[in-house]
Amino acid sequence: MGNANKNENRPGVGERAGNFFFNKLGFRIAATGMMALIAWYAQEKSVTIAEFNAAYASIPLVGIILALLFDYGLDTGKLYNKMLGRGKSGLSKLVFAFGAVFVFFLMFTWLLAGTITLNLATVTPATLVASALVALVVLLPNTGTSEWLLWLWIAETIVTGGAHLTILPAISLFQMAVAVLLGGGALG
């Protein structure tokens, strides 16, 4: 009787295979697809290495530190499991991962663009490629215990001679709060 209860809650072979696909292989396929999409976009828009260097070096240091904190929290704090929830299917977890990548991508694009209103039509292709790379690295598992985003930022800052060195973003929370309180129109 004791063995019957243990087997009752155990997932079947198909469910285990589906979870393995969506958690292991599916994630790798999705990450590879995102990398291919970034590379395709860079190729189509003829983003040069020099443009990428300038865009990545122009990320405010605070943005890089924020990315490192998110990356560390996602990887070491088991935040993935908390965000994804329990009892959801592998497909819903994969869809959530795509959604999270998109939110991080918009956040880092906003940091790089330096405006309150995010108009993707005015953002350069190099900025989009740099922010997509940061968002992807933040959400890739097992990257949170290394500082590769910071080291790349330092390297890009050296290569560009510090021409794009920014510690804080151009937009402060104080400016946004004042504009909202005073009923400011277009904030960008």
Side-chain angles (χ1 to χ4, degrees):
M1 184 92 180
N3 289 338
N5 289 338
K6 288 180 184 177
N7 292 335
E8 206 171 281
N9 293 331
R10 193 170 171 200
V13 173
E15 187 177 347
R16 285 192 308 241
N19 286 337
F20 175 79
F21 176 76
F22 285 118
N23 290 337
K24 305 290 183 191
L25 182 60
F27 185 80
R28 285 172 173 78
I29 290 171
T32 302
M34 285 184 248
M35 287 185 275
L37 185 63
I38 293 167
W40 173 83
Y41 180 80
Q43 172 184 313
E44 288 297 307
K45 299 298 180 179
S46 299
V47 176
T48 66
I49 294 296
E51 291 170 332
F52 175 81
N53 291 349
Y56 197 88
S58 69
I59 299 173
L61 179 60
V62 170
I64 294 294
I65 292 170
L66 181 66
L68 290 173
L69 290 173
F70 275 120
D71 195 17
Y72 183 79
L74 285 172
D75 286 351
T76 60
K78 304 293 183 205
L79 192 55
Y80 278 119
N81 293 336
K82 291 176 186 172
M83 284 191 323
L84 297 175
R86 295 181 183 250
K88 293 183 181 179
S89 71
L91 183 59
S92 66
K93 291 179 181 184
L94 196 59
V95 168
F96 181 83
F98 276 113
V101 167
F102 184 71
V103 168
F104 278 101
F105 165 71
L106 287 179
M107 182 180 74
F108 288 110
T109 302
W110 176 72
L111 276 172
L112 266 75
T115 62
I116 294 173
T117 57
L118 181 60
N119 183 357
L120 290 179
T122 62
V123 177
T124 67
T127 299
L128 291 176
V129 170
S131 59
L133 175 77
V134 171
L136 187 60
V137 169
V138 165
L139 290 166
L140 284 175
N142 303 322
T143 59
T145 55
S146 60
E147 308 84 21
W148 289 114
L149 291 173
L150 177 63
W151 291 116
L152 179 60
W153 182 83
I154 291 169
E156 299 296 0
T157 301
I158 291 169
V159 166
T160 59
H164 307 285
L165 180 63
T166 308
I167 304 299
L168 295 172
I171 300 161
S172 71
L173 294 176
F174 178 73
Q175 285 176 317
M176 287 194 301
V178 169
V180 169
L181 289 174
L182 296 177
L187 299 173

